[in-house]
Amino acid sequence: MKREIIKTLDGSTTIHLEEWNESYHSKHGAIQEAKHVFIKNGLSLFNNKPVSLLEIGFGTGLNAFITFLESQQNQQSIDYVGVEAYPVSAEEVLAMNYVDELEASEFYNIFEKMHKCEWDNKVEICDQFSLTKRKQFFDEIDDIEKFDLIYFDAFGYRVQPELWSTEIFQKMYNSLKPNGVLVTYAARGVVKRSMISVGFTVEKLAGPPGKREMFRATKKV
Ligand SMILES: C[S@@+](CC[C@H](N)C(=O)[O-])C[C@H]1O[C@@H](n2cnc3c(N)ncnc32)[C@H](O)[C@@H]1O
């Protein structure tokens, strides 16, 4: 599939898949979306307590890097697991401008380490942040009550409806600890119904710039 690096409206880059007319992040702003959906409506719920986190779709590492920056600022311990079946190439990683756009040049080595570190091994990125990149398909996930928070960042329902199914959300539900939370940029009725059918309590929240709504699903017990 043809891949192209494009700039989103907040100046940050993303990868665009022409054949699907789908991008790794919102065209309205990759960084803005990540901060709104995953940090403001997800990570910040944990009040700087230690968090065990699962990301569905590690991709360019933007969510992981922003989460690392938050953990630095708030002295928060994060155990981050990013699942990805199709790692982004080194060339594409180099073309992403996240370190500059986030004014985080002092942490360039961290962004690099996140990409260069080996797969399927837990790596201490720094004192408070460990990263395990799992090269795995989403339907192979079988963790039980392991995570406090899930960043559900698969490609959209329009292009990969099978990833928004009850089977996948059942796996997400099983992998969360009691009262664990899943956040996603999506806000389709069919997605909400799948989440509810496996036991999630779903809230509709204001979306990031350019998107009206998004979902947060909680494993209430
Ligand atoms: C929207 S992108 C993730 C963007 C990423 N969170 C970031 O910050 O760059 C979705 C990701 O899911 C991956 N993917 C697609 N289908 C998958 C599957 N069945 N299993 C595992 N990964 C998959 C893609 O390769 C892509 O990296």
Side-chain angles (χ1 to χ4, degrees):
M1 212 182 292
K2 188 157 179 261
R3 300 160 72 88
E4 191 191 4
I5 310 292
I6 59 165
K7 255 198 186 170
T8 67
L9 288 182
D10 67 5
S12 54
T13 44
T14 192
I15 302 169
H16 182 69
L17 306 177
E18 240 171 59
E19 199 177 300
W20 278 357
N21 188 24
E22 179 78 357
S23 299
Y24 275 53
H25 308 94
S26 164
K27 287 186 174 175
H28 296 280
I31 288 179
Q32 275 182 0
E33 175 188 51
K35 284 187 169 172
H36 179 91
V37 175
F38 302 111
I39 305 298
K40 179 170 174 243
N41 288 327
L43 186 66
S44 70
L45 297 178
F46 293 86
N47 294 321
N48 305 333
K49 294 200 188 85
V51 169
S52 166
L53 201 156
L54 171 68
E55 178 176 26
I56 295 302
F58 181 78
T60 66
L62 172 61
N63 293 337
F65 188 57
I66 289 184
T67 302
F68 162 79
L69 294 177
E70 287 292 314
S71 77
Q72 282 290 296
Q73 204 176 325
N74 303 324
Q75 309 282 301
Q76 184 175 21
S77 290
I78 310 269
D79 187 2
Y80 199 103
V81 174
V83 175
E84 175 61 63
Y86 311 101
V88 167
S89 70
E91 199 186 326
E92 283 177 326
V93 171
L94 281 176
M96 296 296 128
N97 65 2
Y98 302 139
V99 175
D100 287 343
E101 288 295 311
L102 289 160
E103 297 180 358
S105 54
E106 65 188 294
F107 295 118
Y108 183 77
N109 62 326
I110 298 282
F111 186 65
E112 207 175 42
K113 194 168 174 184
M114 285 179 161
H115 282 286
K116 287 195 172 156
C117 70
E118 58 179 332
W119 288 81
D120 302 307
N121 249 327
K122 185 168 173 166
V123 177
E124 298 298 329
I125 296 289
C126 74
D127 278 357
Q128 294 184 115
F129 193 99
S130 66
L131 173 65
T132 311
K133 293 187 296 184
R134 283 193 345 210
K135 197 159 179 301
Q136 187 182 34
F137 286 100
F138 302 143
D139 62 7
E140 294 168 341
I141 293 173
D142 57 5
D143 303 277
I144 302 291
E145 298 201 354
K146 183 165 171 190
F147 301 105
D148 301 295
L149 178 61
I150 296 176
Y151 293 168
F152 197 87
D153 200 16
F155 288 131
Y157 180 87
R158 182 181 58 87
V159 294
Q160 286 194 299
E162 69 280 9
L163 300 182
W164 302 85
S165 59
T166 50
E167 289 76 15
I168 297 287
F169 284 123
Q170 185 67 64
K171 287 176 178 290
M172 298 298 108
Y173 190 87
N174 295 347
S175 75
L176 281 172
K177 295 178 191 169
N179 299 311
V181 174
L182 175 153
V183 269
T184 182
Y185 64 87
R188 280 185 187 242
V190 61
V191 169
K192 183 177 181 180
R193 287 192 290 279
S194 290
M195 289 170 160
I196 290 175
S197 74
V198 302
F200 278 116
T201 301
V202 181
E203 294 165 86
K204 197 178 256 185
L205 306 172
K211 283 192 182 159
R212 222 149 39 103
E213 290 155 343
M214 59 163 279
F215 288 141
R216 179 164 64 204
T218 307
K219 179 176 182 172
K220 289 206 171 137
V221 288

